[in-house]
Amino acid sequence: MLRKWKQQSPYHLMLIPSLVLVFIFSYIPFYGLIIAFQKYNPGLGFNSPWVGWDNFSHVFSQPNFVRTIWNTLYMSVFKIIGGIIVPVIFALLLNEVLNSGVKRTFQTLVYIPNFLSWVIMAGIMLDILSSDGIINTFLGVFGIAPISFLGTPSIFPWTMIVSDIWKGFGFGTVVYLAALTSIDPGLYEAAVIDGAKRWKQTIYITLPLLMPTIVLMTVLSLGNVLNAGFDQIYNLYSPVVYQTGDIIDTYVYRLGIQQAQYSIGTAVGLFKSIISSVLVAVSYFLAYRVAGYRIF
Amino acid sequence: MILLLISLLCILPFINLLAVSFSSSSAVSAGSVTFWPVEFTTKAYEFALSGGSFFSSLWVAIQRTVLGTFVNLVLIVLTAYPLSKSKQKLMGRNIYMGFFIVTMLFSGGLIPTYLVVVKMGLIDSIWSLILPGALPVFSMIILMNFIRGLPEEIEESAIIDGAGPVQVLLRILLPLLKPALATVGLFSIVGHWNSWFDGIIYMNNPANYPLQSYLQTLLQSFEQIMLKSGSDYTQLLSMMNARTGRAAQMFLGAIPILLVYPFLQKYFTKGLVLGSVKG
């Protein structure tokens, strides 16, 4: 035993810095969650008076809160659906392009927006979506009156959904293209001999073989269904569109940090965190069962 | 044809931004700028580069990215190497693994984390941007899987030659890990460069904002003017002037990523395939 420890001790020592840092910045906040059950007072800290489930019942009874959950689900579900369909179609189309130079150029172009922060993307969007921005100028050519994409409650969620898909689909495209290259060319040759045209080949060979990847990506994204995109929405919304644009994360931020209602904000965050962690665990479990995907 | 159109859709907004940044503000407010500068001027850039907040926050961002990526890489290696061992060779391996995995599933959330950073006295310090995310667990797992994929004989023969774990790590493994380290290192670089939210909440003094946080405040002030502008025409005009300046600064903020992008893409694709398709 002692000998074994002597042999292994360098490994354990190597782990110490990570263990300490993760303990401080990830585990101590778990303890901080108790303020969700207190009436937090910065002067008293964690010795603030206990209030049981009051913070939760207070939040759940707010009409705002139900609306916020609905907005979160609404936007993230459509983002997930679009985030699967668009890259699959794009990858399939790109796969038909035979010239590899052209293929790579397109792939490169659609991948660029992935690397830019939502701050910069928001800067671009504010510019192109403004009343005299390029999109409204373009629509004006067809006699369409300027649309306030970011200031109309009924349009705002769709602006978020479409722009999120726009920013992110290059990522999915790369994944699906990688999956496509692993398909055995012999299958297509056989299909050609049987007289299948390109369309039939896509339906009967490419799509079925792409299915495991599609299912995997879908299952993995389910764990994120409560993350409707804080970075994006926080940078683009305004009080005008709170009723349709507010999501759980922006709500927690406004309540918790800006209005300094630490206990309420933490309660909402805890609620979301518990549901999210269950969803993530379930999605990883499904990914393993369905597609044999394991992260470790 | 459709492909070309879709691909262009991803790039045209940037060209528009570039055109706006090089146009005169009167041309921009007249809405006549599309993909080519109108009344070409570099005024907006001169303004942005004339010092002040842009430069100081650029410097903070560079420091943060360099230091943060270095810390990330050191911790990733120091954690992934022991954890790549089997249960027999590392007592309590599964306990360690569970300890790190839990943080991927569950987090204390915004406010408790914020309170910890405050308690540690890190407010207004660059370490508040680096230490809370010092170990990117997902990157660590990627590297761990990579190490496991290496032939075990390499390490065994070094141990027979009398090398200890530290020597094995430094002399034998590190050179072999280069491609994997490049991948996770680039994840860190992009992550640090693009973060803005932690800068906003952990820095009380705007002089300490990293670049993206500073750009975010530009957006915010712009929105506020926009909301109020309904009644106030002079403010609307000043907003229009701000638009070219903002475009210029946004573009400058995007440049570093756009410059390293061709180099990045290869590794990202690799990391992506490593991380999401095969596992």
Side-chain angles (χ1 to χ4, degrees):
Chain A
M1 187 74 186
L2 201 69
R3 222 183 67 122
K4 210 171 167 186
W5 170 251
K6 222 174 167 183
Q7 245 172 18
Q8 292 189 359
S9 58
Y11 298 136
H12 295 278
L13 287 175
M14 282 180 202
L15 286 168
I16 288 176
S18 301
L19 290 173
V20 170
L21 283 167
V22 169
F23 181 78
I24 294 174
F25 292 103
S26 297
Y27 281 82
I28 295 181
F30 290 162
Y31 178 69
L33 285 171
I34 62 169
I35 68 172
F37 304 96
Q38 295 179 332
K39 190 171 165 50
Y40 186 73
N41 174 332
L44 297 172
F46 295 139
N47 299 318
S48 303
W50 294 89
V51 293
W53 295 93
D54 280 8
N55 292 321
F56 290 88
S57 52
H58 172 73
V59 170
F60 290 141
S61 61
Q62 302 271 322
N64 282 354
F65 185 65
V66 179
R67 195 184 74 188
T68 304
I69 290 185
W70 167 249
N71 291 342
T72 308
L73 290 175
Y74 182 83
M75 282 192 267
S76 72
V77 164
F78 280 107
K79 280 177 180 178
I80 289 174
I81 294 173
I84 288 158
I85 294 175
V86 176
V88 167
I89 292 176
F90 193 76
L92 287 177
L93 289 173
L94 210 52
N95 202 40
E96 299 294 310
V97 177
L98 295 174
N99 184 329
S100 71
V102 176
K103 203 165 156 179
R104 202 167 309 133
T105 310
F106 284 162
Q107 194 184 330
T108 304
L109 287 180
V110 299
Y111 202 23
I112 287 179
N114 280 287
F115 290 104
L116 296 165
S117 67
W118 265 115
V119 170
I120 289 183
M121 294 309 265
I124 293 175
M125 285 181 61
L126 277 176
D127 208 88
I128 61 178
L129 295 177
S130 68
S131 56
D132 50 9
I134 191 160
I135 290 185
N136 275 316
T137 310
F138 179 73
L139 291 177
V141 175
F142 300 100
I144 299 168
I147 298 167
S148 177
F149 291 98
L150 296 169
T152 315
S154 59
I155 298 176
F156 182 81
W158 283 97
T159 312
M160 295 301 104
I161 292 165
V162 172
S163 60
D164 184 71
I165 295 169
W166 167 62
K167 184 178 188 287
F169 83 95
F171 174 88
T173 302
V174 175
V175 173
Y176 293 118
L177 277 178
L180 283 173
T181 52
S182 65
I183 294 177
D184 179 9
L187 290 170
Y188 293 107
E189 283 160 23
V192 170
I193 292 169
D194 289 343
K197 294 268 156 30
R198 296 222 61 102
W199 179 243
K200 289 251 161 158
Q201 289 175 25
T202 306
I203 299 282
Y204 293 108
I205 300 175
T206 316
L207 267 184
L209 287 173
L210 210 51
M211 227 31 191
T213 313
I214 297 175
V215 171
L216 176 65
M217 297 289 279
T218 314
V219 165
L220 289 180
S221 59
L222 286 181
N224 271 322
V225 82
L226 290 185
N227 295 321
F230 176 82
D231 283 12
Q232 177 194 25
I233 292 168
Y234 182 74
N235 281 313
L236 287 165
Y237 81 162
S238 57
V240 187
V241 292
Y242 279 173
Q243 48 168 309
T244 59
D246 216 2
I247 57 170
I248 300 175
D249 290 329
T250 52
Y251 190 68
V252 170
Y253 179 72
R254 276 213 320 281
L255 223 60
I257 302 273
Q258 286 181 339
Q259 298 176 22
Q261 299 192 41
Y262 290 131
S263 284
I264 308 251
T266 305
V268 181
L270 178 61
F271 168 76
K272 185 203 147 184
S273 197
I274 288 173
I275 296 179
S276 269
S277 56
V278 171
L279 286 172
V280 171
V282 168
S283 72
Y284 274 116
F285 174 74
L286 283 177
Y288 178 60
R289 293 302 294 272
V290 176
Y293 173 88
R294 290 192 317 146
I295 54 162
F296 61 91
Chain B
M1 189 56 211
I2 300 169
L3 287 172
L4 183 69
L5 212 72
I6 298 176
S7 306
L8 283 179
L9 268 178
C10 288
I11 196 80
L12 284 181
F14 296 99
I15 299 173
N16 177 241
L17 184 79
L18 194 60
V20 167
S21 70
F22 278 117
S23 300
S24 72
S25 43
S26 56
V28 171
S29 40
S32 55
V33 180
T34 50
F35 302 117
W36 198 253
V38 178
E39 298 169 36
F40 184 88
T41 165
T42 55
K43 235 195 221 151
Y45 287 91
E46 281 161 30
F47 172 75
L49 295 175
S50 65
S53 303
F54 183 86
F55 263 123
S56 66
S57 55
L58 178 67
W59 176 233
V60 176
I62 292 171
Q63 281 178 296
R64 181 224 173 125
T65 306
V66 172
L67 200 60
T69 305
F70 178 74
V71 170
N72 283 163
L73 285 178
V74 170
L75 289 186
I76 288 172
V77 170
L78 284 182
T79 316
Y81 173 53
L83 289 181
S84 70
K85 301 283 164 216
S86 65
K87 220 165 36 180
Q88 286 73 34
K89 285 188 179 154
L90 180 76
M91 273 185 288
R93 182 202 172 260
N94 291 351
I95 299 172
Y96 287 130
M97 203 64 212
F99 181 83
F100 293 118
I101 296 284
V102 164
T103 65
M104 280 176 85
L105 291 177
F106 199 76
S107 87
L110 176 64
I111 292 156
T113 311
Y114 172 77
L115 292 175
V116 168
V117 172
V118 173
K119 276 269 153 58
M120 298 289 294
L122 294 178
I123 293 295
D124 267 326
S125 152
I126 196 162
W127 292 105
S128 65
L129 309 177
I130 292 170
L131 293 182
L135 177 74
V137 177
F138 196 78
S139 292
M140 188 274 286
I141 291 173
I142 290 180
L143 198 77
M144 185 189 78
N145 285 333
F146 187 89
I147 297 175
R148 286 181 160 184
L150 297 173
E152 237 171 287
E153 291 78 11
I154 300 176
E155 203 180 324
E156 278 168 13
S157 70
I159 290 174
I160 291 170
D161 288 345
V166 179
Q167 279 159 313
V168 169
L169 179 60
L170 293 179
R171 302 245 183 101
I172 315 280
L173 279 181
L174 270 191
L176 293 171
L177 291 179
K178 267 185 202 153
L181 284 177
T183 307
V184 294
L186 290 170
F187 285 141
S188 285
I189 291 174
V190 174
H192 275 295
W193 184 264
N194 279 344
S195 295
W196 56 276
F197 185 63
D198 47 4
I200 301 270
I201 57 174
Y202 296 144
M203 298 299 174
N204 284 339
N205 182 356
N208 294 326
Y209 279 176
L211 186 61
Q212 303 286 332
S213 307
Y214 163 70
L215 291 176
Q216 206 274 333
T217 59
L218 274 190
L219 279 184
Q220 222 62 14
S221 54
F222 184 77
E223 271 178 349
Q224 266 152 26
I225 298 171
M226 197 167 72
L227 281 172
K228 288 186 210 142
S229 66
S231 54
D232 194 341
Y233 188 68
T234 51
Q235 256 189 332
L236 192 72
L237 271 183
S238 74
M239 174 191 91
M240 285 310 171
N241 291 333
R243 206 164 131 190
T244 59
R246 197 169 49 95
Q249 302 192 50
M250 288 291 162
F251 197 78
L252 289 171
I255 280 180
I257 293 287
L258 292 180
L259 282 183
V260 287
Y261 170 72
F263 169 70
L264 288 172
Q265 197 195 10
K266 184 176 113 203
Y267 285 107
F268 265 100
T269 313
K270 217 186 261 170
L272 213 79
V273 175
L274 211 66
S276 64
V277 180
K278 283 197 308 198

